[in-house]
Amino acid sequence: MAALALGVQTWSTDVAAVTRFWRAADELDYARITYGDGLWDFTHDGWTMLRALAAVTGRARLGPAVTYAFDPAAHHPSWLAKRAVTVDHLSGGRLDLRLAVGAEAAATRDAWERHGIRYPPAAARIAALEEAVAIVRALWRGEVVDAKGRTFSVHGAQLSPLPVQRPGPPVWIAAMKPRALALAARCADGWEASYVSPSGFAALSARFDRLLEAAGRPPETVRRSVEVDVALVESPAERDAWIRRFCAARGLTASDPLLETTLIGDLEHVTDRIAAYAAAGATDLMLGFADFPDTRMLERLARALGR
């Protein structure tokens, strides 16, 4: 079994706390650090925070947890390309551009539309994201770009300076449903699933393999990540307390299948689950530590894995 690259997800508006966590994760050799993007109340502006993340780390790859390009008012691809180049330079070539289509929930749509930002149906968001990726990549290559799509149009656009990474930072797309998975298979360097069990991920990964083959792309050339929550505990009582807390925060019952996607348990349980995701085809795990922004679980897992 190849070792997974372990990354960490961060959010929070407590700048001092999140900065401490970033430094600790980088020093402990976690492979990736992300910070949320969007208009949510639990984050600052994601791209501004990525500039700060670049400044306080030196090894980990970094990027938005996901960022959005379904409407010019969310992120126009020219601005997205420019911001990405800036962070790529500030980090010495460590940026991953991580994108998502957006959730189907009415609450998500309402959150964007309260700010006057159009949140179209899923098919239109997928098409807009594909347009945006094509424009961003062409700008990164230094081309003069003319594109007229249903969502985005540019005329004689060109970008300078160009990114440190050539031909540009890796593009990741978070996708779970068939049309979004097909988009990731057509144009992503990395694909991410969220909150699925190892068996669920294996099934999604097999479907993704078929989509890659249909797109004429070798399956082994695209990285695969899973976003999961983790609580590393020292006793059954502590495990039960974290399960209750997890359920209460999400309005779940103790029998909800979502619990099967969490890594809540002692060191043996957590490392066994990590191995199960690797066996299911994952190359990366993005961990949301339950005690964040405390660094105790972050440190304990790193020590256990010999970091």
Side-chain angles (χ1 to χ4, degrees):
M1 179 191 74
L4 269 74
L6 298 183
V8 295
Q9 304 174 86
T10 68
W11 48 100
S12 178
T13 56
D14 185 335
V15 172
V18 78
T19 300
R20 285 194 299 271
F21 192 93
W22 289 341
R23 286 191 172 116
D26 193 53
E27 290 166 1
L28 291 166
D29 208 25
Y30 282 88
R32 286 180 173 78
I33 305 171
T34 64
Y35 183 85
D37 186 38
L39 293 166
W40 326 120
D41 59 5
F42 49 83
T43 66
H44 287 301
D45 171 65
W47 284 94
T48 303
M49 292 294 280
L50 287 177
R51 294 172 179 89
L53 172 55
V56 301
T57 59
R59 292 181 288 190
R61 295 196 63 80
L62 51 91
V66 290
T67 196
Y68 304 94
F70 52 78
D71 186 81
H75 284 300
H76 189 282
S78 293
W79 275 117
L80 191 58
K82 186 71 169 179
R83 290 172 182 131
V85 167
T86 301
V87 176
D88 201 44
H89 278 259
L90 289 171
S91 66
R94 293 184 286 125
L95 177 72
D96 292 335
L97 179 59
R98 300 164 61 85
L99 299 155
V101 172
E104 281 299 280
T108 302
R109 182 194 64 234
D110 292 346
W112 287 101
E113 292 185 348
R114 280 194 296 271
H115 289 277
I117 299 172
R118 190 176 64 97
Y119 196 77
R125 297 198 309 275
I126 291 167
L129 181 55
E130 189 159 15
E131 288 179 21
V133 169
I135 292 169
V136 166
R137 282 188 162 143
L139 289 170
W140 283 346
R141 291 192 296 267
E143 297 173 9
V144 177
V145 185
D146 288 287
K148 184 172 178 57
R150 296 189 64 179
T151 304
F152 302 112
S153 296
V154 294
H155 308 286
Q158 193 169 21
L159 197 68
S160 183
L162 298 179
V164 173
Q165 298 177 87
R166 307 299 300 135
V171 173
W172 288 70
I173 294 178
M176 297 286 287
K177 295 186 178 179
R179 285 180 296 187
L181 273 174
L183 169 62
R186 288 194 298 274
C187 64
D189 302 302
W191 158 58
E192 182 162 278
S194 299
Y195 308 115
V196 292
S197 66
S199 61
F201 182 77
L204 276 173
S205 190
R207 185 186 306 168
F208 190 59
D209 280 345
R210 294 191 292 272
L211 289 166
L212 286 166
E213 289 165 0
R217 303 181 67 196
E220 66 276 6
T221 62
V222 180
R223 297 189 70 87
R224 297 147 197 251
S225 178
V226 191
E227 177 187 12
V228 293
D229 288 309
V230 56
L232 189 58
V233 304
E234 296 181 327
S235 69
E238 188 182 1
R239 177 200 63 210
D240 293 344
W242 277 111
I243 290 174
R244 288 193 298 271
R245 186 169 171 177
F246 182 86
C247 289
R250 292 160 178 80
L252 307 177
T253 67
S255 61
D256 195 288
L258 187 63
L259 285 169
E260 289 300 310
T261 74
T262 63
L263 281 63
I264 303 177
D266 61 17
L267 181 60
E268 182 179 6
H269 174 78
V270 169
T271 55
D272 283 351
R273 293 287 282 182
I274 289 172
Y277 279 109
T283 62
D284 298 70
L285 284 184
M286 291 303 301
L287 307 175
F289 282 94
D291 64 344
F292 172 84
D294 197 311
T295 61
R296 283 177 291 184
M297 291 183 185
L298 178 87
E299 292 165 359
R300 284 184 58 206
L301 184 59
R303 287 196 301 268
L305 297 174
R307 300 183 177 204

